């Protein structure tokens, strides 16, 4: 159906709502098979195929949805019995899926032992889902399902009831800040682009999500792509642009596929293109693929890439709002920032600003990864404490280990140690402790993580991804990495810490772009809170966490060794010798630190020094 007026949009919503009501009346089960990338990687596609082929009857309605955030339980399905909250099942197999369906159909009851939400109110405890509200709920490939949940009504309100400056003022009043980096006020950025002179302007979405451990934008695109399309059309109207581009990394095939389908549906129904809803406003949207360069997440490098040039940043000013894509005023936000816009327009700025803290409004999506039980996506109000995220939502540290630190902001961020677990997460608090919000990656570390090695990991990433344009980043990060390699291999020297700090200061002050300027942050942060670990590596030649392989030393405990020779038989370098039924010994000059002897010993006779 071609949607030409608000009445047409309401008609689509009415039809969808009536269809859902009819399913309830006829006692039809709704089964959501969660098929985000994480679900598909664990077999969700096979489950969906089996259920459609063998389970779909007149009494079931089986749909594909995106990731609901509980990645640690994939593959997931949700079964909704009319009049009851959803029953959510994790680690589902095709056989389990059919048994679950059979139980709901025949006995009108869930399979209790397979449920992961025995108390349905706890499934998103401490969370407030705004940008992720539809993820795992709707079929992302059906525009009707998005419209049924008020999709595109924010766009209709903007085009038919508001002037461009009204939209900008609403965003400014909401307090929304950019969710992709430093947290610049979104409404202010839109205003800069709106007031910039020029008849041709552009709206760009940065979907080049490159931080290690971050997958927030990907999940939004996979589970709710129409939200981004609607938001970008609203942005185009507000700043005076009739053309938008989504710059998405090619490594996101499922997100790309669903985004293409959503754009096609929006164009076909008249919600993209010429004279949208009879308002006279025209907006077109195209996709541009990134080749995986981390630096193209920086807005000026991204602009160069869209233009077909080498993805390198340039000096600012001028900022993109004044001179961006092809020299024209350009608005750039990331996926999560745009994803907040439709809800703000529908619910109002005061509603949104009532959530969060004084200077950080709304919610933030985090990708929980690392040493945490409940790996996945969460969305919490700004100001939620790190302890709540890690212990209550994340389930704590597995295997009885102790929390050591959490890295926020990815390679541009820093670590938060144990004594700061009660920090309220917002833009200003994170900056104050030497970290940053970034795009929302949150990597948890336990007592077995070496903080020097963690700093080396992130610096290795940024050094490898440096575009090489400016000397401070290209050479400075290389020299810092060489020092960290030396320290973690047991060759550290007394002046290494001072050299790291000196190099970091130069890189931060002299690099061209924000990625170079923030590259030393993981090193500075770990030096600030875990300096003793650096000193242990340098002066005692020991890694307190026993994580740096070249600094490990294995020894056989004489009183425990039975002389069984199992360790000697698995040693790849014949470093272990001895006589049968007598204690064996390890030649430290031959030992390659592989740890196979410790794994093989049944008597706990090998210790790690």
């Amino acid at each position: 159906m071609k949607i030409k007026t608000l009445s047409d949009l309401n008609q689509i919503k009415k039809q969808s709502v009536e269809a859902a009501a009819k399913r309830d009346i006829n006692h039809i089960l709704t089964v959501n098979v969660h098929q985000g990338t994480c679900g598909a990687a664990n077999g969700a596609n096979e489950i969906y195929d089996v259920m459609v082929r063998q389970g779909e009857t007149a009494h079931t309605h089986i749909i594909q949805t995106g990731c609901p955030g509980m990645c640690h339980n994939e593959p997931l399905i949700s079964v909704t019995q009319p009049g009851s909250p959803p029953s959510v099942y994790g680690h589902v197999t095709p056989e389990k899926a059919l048994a679950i369906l059979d139980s709901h159909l025949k006995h009108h009851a869930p399979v209790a032992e397979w449920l992961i939400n025995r108390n349905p109110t706890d499934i998103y405890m401490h969370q407030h889902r705004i940008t992720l509200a539809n993820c795992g709920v709707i079929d992302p490939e059906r525009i009707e399902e998005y419209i049924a949940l008020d999709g595109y009504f924010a766009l209709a309100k903007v085009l038919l009831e508001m002037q461009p400056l009204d939209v900008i003022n609403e965003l400014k009043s909401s307090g929304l800040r950019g969710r992709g980096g430093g947290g610049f006020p979104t409404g202010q950025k839109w205003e800069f682009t709106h007031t910039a002179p020029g008849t041709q302007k552009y709206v760009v979405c940065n979907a080049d999500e490159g931080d290690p451990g971050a997958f927030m934008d990907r999940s939004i695109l996979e589970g709710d792509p129409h939200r981004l399309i609607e938001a970008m059309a609203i942005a185009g109207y507000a700043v005076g642009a009739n053309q938008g581009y989504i710059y998405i990394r090619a490594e996101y095939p499922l997100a790309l596929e669903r985004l293409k389908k959503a754009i096609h549906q929006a164009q076909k129904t008249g919600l993209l293109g010429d004279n949208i809803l009879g308002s006279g406003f025209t907006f077109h949207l195209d996709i541009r693929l990134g080749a995986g360069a981390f630096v193209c997440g920086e807005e000026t490098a991204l602009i160069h890439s869209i233009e077909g040039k080498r993805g390198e940043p340039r000096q600012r000013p001028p900022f993109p709002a004044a001179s961006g894509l092809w020299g024209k005023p350009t608005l750039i936000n990331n996926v999560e920032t745009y994803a907040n816009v439709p809800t703000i327009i529908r619910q109002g700025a005061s509603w949104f600003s009532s959530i969060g803290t004084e200077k950080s409004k709304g919610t933030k999506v985090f990708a929980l990864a690392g040493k945490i039980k409940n790996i996945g996506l969460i969305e919490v109000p700004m100001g939620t404490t790190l302890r709540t995220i890690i212990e209550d939502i994340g389930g704590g540290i597995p295997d009885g280990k102790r929390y050591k630190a959490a890295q926020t902001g990815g390679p541009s961020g820093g670590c938060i140690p144990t004594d700061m677990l009660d920090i309220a997460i917002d833009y200003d608090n994170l900056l104050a402790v030497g970290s940053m919000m970034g795009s929302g990656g949150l990597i948890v570390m336990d007592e077995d993580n070496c903080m020097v090695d963690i700093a080396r990991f992130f610096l290795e990433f940024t050094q490898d991804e440096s575009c090489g344009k400016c000397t401070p980043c290209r050479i400075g990060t290389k020299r810092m990495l060489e020092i960290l390699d030396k320290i973690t291999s047991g060759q550290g020297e007394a002046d290494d810490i001072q050299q790291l700090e000196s190099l970091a200061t130069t890189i931060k002050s002299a690099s061209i772009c924000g990625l170079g300027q923030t590259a030393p942050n993981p090193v500075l942060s770990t030096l600030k809170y875990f300096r003793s670990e650096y000193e242990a590596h340098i002066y005692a030649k020991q890694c307190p966490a026993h994580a740096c392989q070249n600094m490990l030393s294995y020894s056989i405990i004489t009183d425990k060794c039975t002389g069984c020779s199992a360790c000697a038989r698995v040693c790849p370098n014949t470093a272990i010798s001895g006589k049968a039924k007598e204690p064996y010994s390890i030649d430290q000059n031959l030992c390659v630190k592989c740890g196979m002897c410790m794994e093989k010993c049944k008597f706990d006779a090998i210790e790690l020094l």
Side-chain angles (χ1 to χ4, degrees), residues 431-504:
L431 287 174
V433 299
S435 189
M436 65 183 297
M437 188 76 71
S439 59
L442 202 163
I443 300 176
V444 181
M445 289 156 274
D446 69 10
E447 60 194 87
D448 293 335
N449 286 110
C450 169
M451 301 312 294
V452 185
D453 188 54
I454 290 294
R456 189 201 63 78
F457 165 79
F458 281 111
L459 197 69
E460 182 180 41
F461 177 85
T462 49
Q463 198 282 319
D464 184 60
E465 292 288 345
S466 172
C467 73
K469 183 175 183 178
C470 68
T471 302
C473 181
R474 182 181 71 249
I475 304 299
T477 56
K478 178 67 173 176
R479 295 295 167 259
M480 288 185 75
L481 181 59
E482 289 171 350
I483 294 172
L484 290 171
D485 281 337
K486 187 172 65 169
I487 293 173
T488 54
S489 65
Q491 306 301 314
E493 300 177 79
D495 65 342
D496 283 344
I497 292 178
Q498 187 275 327
Q499 285 198 41
L500 284 172
E501 292 174 330
S502 177
L503 283 165

Side-chain angles (χ1 to χ4, degrees), residues 585-597:
S585 63
I586 301 175
D587 185 337
Q588 298 298 329
N589 293 321
L590 295 176
C591 179
V592 293
K593 328 288 188 185
C594 66
M596 292 179 65
C597 56

Side-chain angles (χ1 to χ4, degrees), residues 519-598:
N521 283 354
V523 178
L524 292 174
S525 177
T526 50
L527 276 171
K528 181 177 180 179
Y529 299 117
F530 299 94
R531 198 180 193 91
S532 61
E533 290 200 21
Y534 282 83
E535 293 170 344
H537 283 70
I538 293 170
Y539 300 115
K541 306 301 179 187
Q542 291 181 348
C543 173
H546 301 300
C548 297
Q549 187 173 17
N550 288 334
M551 303 187 74
L552 300 180
S553 178
Y554 293 90
S555 177
I556 295 177
I557 303 171
T558 303
D559 293 344
K560 290 186 176 182
C561 182
T562 64
C564 71
S565 77
C567 57
R569 292 197 300 272
V570 297
C571 181
N573 208 37
T574 62
I576 303 177
S577 60
K579 295 181 180 179
K581 299 184 179 181
E582 293 183 12
Y584 276 58
S585 63
I586 301 175
D587 185 337
Q588 298 298 329
N589 293 321
L590 295 176
C591 179
V592 293
K593 328 288 188 185
C594 66
M596 292 179 65
C597 56
M598 179 176 278

Side-chain angles (χ1 to χ4, degrees), residues 335-396:
V335 175
E336 187 184 346
T337 308
Y338 281 122
N340 280 282
V341 172
T343 310
I344 291 173
I345 297 298
R346 291 198 312 269
Q347 301 281 80
S350 59
W351 170 84
F352 186 82
S353 63
S354 69
I355 304 165
T357 64
E358 182 180 355
K359 295 182 179 179
S360 299
K361 304 296 186 182
T363 61
K364 182 71 188 78
V365 179
F366 288 99
L368 280 181
K371 305 292 185 65
I372 191 83
K373 289 180 181 177
N374 300 337
I375 291 172
L377 282 183
I378 65 169
E379 184 173 0
V380 295
M382 291 282 193
T384 301
T385 66
L386 182 61
R387 185 184 299 277
T388 296
I389 291 174
I390 290 176
E391 295 181 358
D392 297 333
I393 302 175

Side-chain angles (χ1 to χ4, degrees), residues 97-117:
L98 293 178
I100 289 166
L101 192 58
D102 187 63
S103 178
H104 278 273
L105 284 171
K106 290 183 178 179
H107 308 293
H108 305 292
V111 183
E113 63 266 33
W114 294 342
L115 283 174
I116 64 172
N117 66 325

Side-chain angles (χ1 to χ4, degrees), residues 87-383:
S87 297
V88 184
Y89 300 91
H91 304 295
V92 179
T93 64
E95 294 75 22
K96 276 187 177 182
L98 293 178
I100 289 166
L101 192 58
D102 187 63
S103 178
H104 278 273
L105 284 171
K106 290 183 178 179
H107 308 293
H108 305 292
V111 183
E113 63 266 33
W114 294 342
L115 283 174
I116 64 172
N117 66 325
R118 294 178 187 276
N119 182 354
T121 60
D122 289 344
I123 198 73
Y124 292 119
M125 184 174 58
H126 302 295
Q127 298 194 49
H128 188 158
R129 290 166 72 86
I130 296 175
T131 61
L132 298 179
N134 294 340
C135 292
V137 176
I138 65 171
D139 183 341
E141 297 186 10
R142 295 189 71 246
I143 192 173
E144 297 85 358
E145 295 203 9
Y146 180 67
I147 292 173
L149 295 179
D150 294 325
Y152 289 107
F153 279 85
L155 176 60
K157 180 179 179 179
V158 162
L159 296 183
L160 303 178
E161 300 176 18
M162 303 174 74
Q163 296 298 314
L165 279 176
D166 295 334
V167 180
I168 291 170
N169 288 332
E170 192 76 2
L171 280 189
K172 290 171 70 175
S173 298
S174 74
L176 177 65
R177 296 172 65 174
R179 298 304 198 240
F184 191 83
T186 303
Q188 194 173 339
K189 181 183 277 193
W190 286 33
E191 186 176 38
F192 289 157
T193 313
H194 171 83
T195 57
T199 55
Q200 179 63 61
K201 300 180 182 181
Y202 296 102
V203 170
V204 173
C205 175
N206 181 352
D208 191 63
E209 190 173 46
D211 285 6
F215 50 98
M216 300 76 60
D217 291 353
R218 187 198 75 200
S219 291
I220 294 170
L221 293 174
E222 291 176 353
D224 195 12
H226 284 283
R227 180 182 290 267
L228 174 62
I229 295 169
E230 181 179 17
M232 291 188 71
I234 292 170
Y237 175 75
V239 305
N242 58 21
Q243 176 65 54
Y245 292 97
I246 301 172
Y247 187 87
I248 180 173
R249 55 196 306 111
E251 296 94 330
Y252 283 177
L254 181 58
L256 179 61
E257 176 189 348
R258 288 180 175 169
L259 188 57
K260 285 180 176 178
K261 289 180 179 179
I263 290 174
H264 175 72
Q265 289 172 353
Q267 290 170 336
K268 187 176 179 181
T269 55
L271 294 170
L272 272 182
D274 299 331
N275 192 25
I276 299 172
L277 294 174
S279 66
F281 172 65
T282 292
F283 189 74
H284 298 278
L285 195 55
D286 292 304
I287 294 173
R288 293 293 182 269
L289 294 182
F294 179 66
V295 73
C296 286
E298 196 278 335
E299 58 184 12
T300 60
L302 183 151
I303 286 170
H304 286 155
S305 183
I306 292 178
E307 293 174 340
K309 301 172 185 175
R310 182 183 177 89
E312 291 180 333
R314 62 162 171 79
Q315 293 278 11
R316 299 177 298 174
F319 290 92
S323 178
L325 198 57
W326 294 295
K328 307 298 183 183
T330 303
L331 172 69
I332 303 179
N333 286 125
N334 82 327
V335 175
E336 187 184 346
T337 308
Y338 281 122
N340 280 282
V341 172
T343 310
I344 291 173
I345 297 298
R346 291 198 312 269
Q347 301 281 80
S350 59
W351 170 84
F352 186 82
S353 63
S354 69
I355 304 165
T357 64
E358 182 180 355
K359 295 182 179 179
S360 299
K361 304 296 186 182
T363 61
K364 182 71 188 78
V365 179
F366 288 99
L368 280 181
K371 305 292 185 65
I372 191 83
K373 289 180 181 177
N374 300 337
I375 291 172
L377 282 183
I378 65 169
E379 184 173 0
V380 295
M382 291 282 193

